[in-house]
Amino acid sequence: MSADRLTQLASEANCHLFSGCGFPAPGLNEFQFKPIFTIGSIEFNKPMLLSMIVALLVIGFFWAAFAKPKLVPGKLQLVGEIGYEFVKRSIVLDSIGKRGEKYVPMMVSLFFFIWLLNVMSIVPFVQYPAAANIAFPAALALIVWVTYMGLTFKTHGFVGGLKNLCWPSGVPGWVMFILVPIEFVSNIFLRPFTLAVRLFANMFAGHLLIVMFSVASWYLLSPSVGALYAGASFTVTIALTAFELLIQFLQAYIFVLLASTYIGGALEEAH
């Protein structure tokens, strides 16, 4: 639950099921934050601060882990190597093959940045996933899309790149007039859109559900039968938080897996 919501509940201490007040249902206000400070027309708010903190955490961790690598790794280097090898072998090399070696640092950075950005939703006094703001997934998807497009045309040239994107091989010519527009729209426009929306929608929905049941736990709390309802709601909150931990990891994994698949496709001959 966000700090703003906790403040609101504290100010509505007597707002319970049988007190005569309505349920303070969470909504889009949970995703709107007052600026911490303003520079010209740019408002620096909580999600922006979280993204900067997470970026510094990722950079700082891998810098500390690999600044002075040892043949027999210490604990920090060992954790860093396990994380790096997981992304490298389980995602990048499986999707791209040996040619994917040069893209491993990019994918490792994306994976851990997205994962930690999501994990912030369950960190006490933070409790917000910045990926629930569409701007952050959109910016990450844009990075992947630019890389994907750049590699496609760099590898195949302009005409070959268009063929790679739009011209499926092994398909009868008479259906090409249907498939080519579909492939064009799918590969050039829908891929970055779905990549961003998938991450955004999962983090948005997960955060909203946790906030709703957290608020309901407080609202239903009363000396009477409401205590049972409150206990049930609180149990659901705990279960959702545990489930959200899995979703946070999976969304980072899926994002990087799809990004690797797109890059692999850009390096291959027309499909």
Side-chain angles (χ1 to χ4, degrees):
M1 184 170 18
S2 67
D4 291 341
R5 173 56 72 180
L6 288 172
T7 302
Q8 179 184 352
L9 287 178
S11 65
E12 298 174 355
N14 296 319
C15 184
H16 294 290
L17 178 61
F18 301 111
S19 64
C21 67
F23 176 61
L28 292 179
N29 57 302
E30 301 296 334
F31 304 90
Q32 297 170 349
F33 298 91
K34 295 179 180 179
I36 300 172
F37 61 84
T38 302
I39 302 176
S41 60
I42 300 175
E43 295 182 347
F44 189 87
N45 56 21
K46 180 178 179 178
M48 296 171 70
L49 176 61
L50 290 179
S51 66
M52 291 186 64
I53 291 173
V54 168
L56 290 174
L57 284 174
V58 172
I59 294 170
F61 171 77
F62 283 103
W63 183 276
F66 297 114
K68 296 179 180 179
K70 299 177 181 178
L71 186 61
V72 179
K75 293 180 180 179
L76 196 63
Q77 183 182 336
L78 180 61
V79 173
E81 287 180 356
I82 291 172
Y84 188 90
E85 288 296 317
F86 167 75
V87 176
K88 176 183 176 180
R89 299 187 182 279
S90 300
I91 303 179
V92 181
L93 296 186
D94 276 358
S95 302
I96 306 176
K98 289 295 183 181
R99 288 186 294 180
E101 288 275 1
K102 65 171 67 175
Y103 307 104
V104 172
M106 174 186 174
M107 296 304 165
V108 169
S109 301
L110 279 173
F111 177 84
F112 285 101
F113 178 76
I114 294 170
W115 187 21
L116 288 182
L117 206 64
N118 295 341
V119 167
M120 286 293 169
S121 68
I122 61 169
V123 175
F125 305 108
V126 177
Q127 295 166 297
Y128 185 76
N133 287 62
I134 188 61
F136 292 94
L140 295 171
L142 180 62
I143 293 171
V144 174
W145 184 82
V146 169
T147 304
Y148 170 46
M149 289 291 108
L151 285 174
T152 297
F153 292 108
K154 179 181 178 180
T155 303
H156 306 285
F158 182 73
V159 175
L162 288 176
K163 183 179 179 181
N164 180 276
L165 291 168
C166 309
W167 196 269
S169 60
V171 178
W174 63 272
V175 297
M176 281 300 184
F177 75 97
I178 297 175
L179 286 181
V180 167
I182 292 175
E183 289 287 304
F184 180 83
V185 173
S186 174
N187 291 332
I188 296 180
F189 297 106
L190 291 184
R191 279 187 170 183
F193 176 78
T194 56
L195 194 62
V197 169
R198 183 182 292 105
L199 175 58
F200 158 73
N202 278 277
M203 292 302 100
F204 182 94
H207 180 66
L208 192 59
L209 280 172
I210 290 174
V211 170
M212 183 179 71
F213 281 98
S214 298
V215 173
S217 300
W218 175 264
Y219 177 74
L220 295 170
L221 187 62
S222 65
S224 60
V225 69
L228 286 175
Y229 303 149
S233 181
F234 183 72
T235 301
V236 173
T237 303
I238 299 300
L240 283 173
T241 301
F243 183 65
E244 190 69 6
L245 277 170
L246 174 62
I247 297 299
Q248 289 160 0
F249 174 84
L250 283 177
Q251 286 307 308
Y253 180 89
I254 291 170
F255 190 99
V256 174
L257 177 63
L258 289 174
S260 299
T261 302
Y262 299 160
I263 289 175
L267 299 174
E268 295 293 337
E269 294 301 322
H271 56 284

